[in-house]
Structure formats: C-alpha cells, structure tokens
Amino acid sequence: MSECTDGSDRLMVAELAGWMPIEESVEFLEGLVDGESEAVEKAALVALRQQQADAETAERIAALPDQPQPRQWAWLHALIRRGDPAHLADPKPSAFDPCFA
C-alpha cells in the first residue's frame, strides 16, 4: 500500500490504517511516516498511535478476568476511553465474559 505514488492515495491509505483491526498488518505505515508529504506523515503517525492504543487495550482486556471485581469495572471504563473496542477483530472478546456473568 505504501507503494502508491499519488499523494492523495497515500493519505487515504494512512487514514484508513488507523481504523484497521490490530490483527491486520500495518507495517507499511513506517514507510509512510518518512514520506515527503506532511499530511501523509501526520496521518500515518495518528494511525500508528491508534494501533498502539488498540494493542494495549487488547492486552489489558486479556488481563481483565485476573483482576478483582471492583478493578474490573474501573479498567473497563478506562479501556473504553483508551482504545476503540470496535477495532478489535473479535467483537466480543472472551475476557469480557466474567464481567457479565
């Protein structure tokens, strides 16, 4: 994807990459960060930050069942603010099951 030569295509690719599930490879963003277009570079950095936030959110969701009950609710609220649950490929991670039991 980073091989696109048109600046508007590269910008669109960078913007869309931030909405991809964390399981999808976005290695091409590294190449877009070093591009000549400031708009493309900013969009790629935003996408990389979103991917990082979503990955951290997924890790913490996996650790959620191991936390005491009061902390589970606190973490749940924080996780929703930190990352976008819609970006996770599994729409209902099994880590949430103990919270709703």
Side-chain angles (χ1 to χ4, degrees):
M1 287 192 206
S2 62
E3 299 165 358
C4 299
T5 56
D6 184 32
S8 62
D9 287 345
R10 293 170 65 86
L11 179 60
M12 179 181 59
V13 166
E15 290 173 345
L16 289 174
W19 292 97
M20 294 174 65
I22 59 172
E23 292 80 7
E24 295 292 327
S25 174
V26 290
E27 294 175 9
F28 59 87
L29 283 173
E30 297 292 336
L32 293 177
V33 170
D34 298 328
E36 62 279 348
S37 168
E38 185 177 339
V40 172
E41 182 178 339
K42 284 182 180 179
L45 287 171
V46 167
L48 284 169
R49 276 190 235 116
Q50 183 63 50
Q51 286 284 315
Q52 181 182 10
D54 292 341
E56 291 169 358
T57 300
E59 288 175 21
R60 290 191 176 66
I61 287 172
L64 200 59
D66 300 330
Q67 302 304 314
Q69 192 80 22
R71 189 176 297 161
Q72 287 181 356
W73 285 110
W75 274 30
L76 186 59
H77 290 284
L79 291 171
I80 290 171
R81 286 191 304 270
R82 172 70 174 136
D84 189 343
H87 294 177
L88 302 174
D90 184 358
K92 184 178 178 268
S94 58
F96 283 129
D97 291 345
C99 296
F100 300 111

